[in-house]
Amino acid sequence: FAASEAQGAIARALPGRGIRVEVRPNGLALLGEARSAAEAEQAIAIARGHLAEGQVLDSRLAVGSQVQVNLRVRIAEVS
């Protein structure tokens, strides 16, 4: 079935990511978390390749990226 084939292809391309493929009435759904937008796009492209004509892909992937922000804070007391 397309979902298990898509799941296997995604697992081979992005090992250890925990991205799941589920069957929906009108196609497939991607669930889980990708480490970057590029990984999410790769998983979406793989899943789209396993859709039958007329089916749709519902991507519910969360993209987790680390953003580090340095803040410099000055506190002044005025009386």
Side-chain angles (χ1 to χ4, degrees):
F1 193 65
S4 61
E5 292 172 2
Q7 179 75 55
I10 291 170
R12 285 189 298 278
L14 302 167
R17 302 305 192 273
I19 296 174
R20 299 181 323 276
V21 181
E22 291 185 356
V23 177
R24 297 290 164 97
N26 60 345
L28 300 174
L30 286 179
L31 304 155
E33 184 172 343
R35 292 183 186 164
S36 67
E39 282 189 358
E41 287 298 321
Q42 186 177 2
I44 290 168
I46 292 168
R48 279 195 180 130
H50 290 85
L51 290 175
E53 188 174 330
Q55 290 186 324
V56 296
L57 179 66
D58 181 14
S59 176
R60 298 190 177 259
L61 290 176
V63 178
S65 61
Q66 297 179 349
V67 176
Q68 184 174 356
V69 178
N70 291 323
L71 297 176
R72 185 181 304 193
V73 179
R74 292 184 186 186
I75 300 173
E77 183 178 326
V78 180
S79 54

